[in-house]
Amino acid sequence: AEVVAASEATVKLGEQISAMEAQMCEPMEDDAMAALLERYGDAQQEFEHRGGYDLEPRAQAVLTGLGIAPTITTVRLNRSAAAGRCGSPWPAS
């Protein structure tokens, strides 16, 4: 139960990061952008600490071990859609 809750929290954090990336595409005051960038940096650090960037490869390894084709069940946790929409300086993963 703890693993599922931790994974859900990590997925939610990834969604929040994507939402912040979308917000960065919108015009805003410098102070608002600075605050957003600070929250974004904190969220990315927490996401990395929780293993969020490794979540998809680990899930694929488990599915493969169970004999389930990961291409059928993969849920992508990347930021490529948001990054690509506004010319973000962060590479699409």
Side-chain angles (χ1 to χ4, degrees), residues 3 6-15 17-18 42-60 74-79 93:
V3 172
S7 294
E8 288 175 1
T10 303
V11 169
K12 184 173 180 165
L13 187 56
E15 292 169 351
I17 289 170
S18 292
D42 291 345
Q44 274 197 318
Q45 186 175 19
E46 180 64 21
F47 189 72
E48 184 173 2
H49 175 74
R50 291 177 182 224
Y53 294 110
D54 298 324
L55 194 57
E56 182 180 349
R58 287 184 302 177
Q60 287 180 351
T74 300
V75 176
R76 298 201 47 92
L77 294 175
N78 69 35
R79 299 169 284 121
S93 52

Side-chain angles (χ1 to χ4, degrees), residues 20-76:
M20 285 186 263
E21 289 170 344
Q23 289 176 333
M24 288 180 209
C25 297
E26 302 299 323
M28 66 180 73
E29 297 291 324
D30 289 345
D31 290 345
M33 179 62 83
L36 177 59
L37 288 171
E38 186 172 339
R39 289 192 321 270
Y40 179 77
D42 291 345
Q44 274 197 318
Q45 186 175 19
E46 180 64 21
F47 189 72
E48 184 173 2
H49 175 74
R50 291 177 182 224
Y53 294 110
D54 298 324
L55 194 57
E56 182 180 349
R58 287 184 302 177
Q60 287 180 351
V62 168
L63 292 172
T64 300
L66 294 172
I68 300 170
T71 56
I72 296 171
T73 57
T74 300
V75 176
R76 298 201 47 92

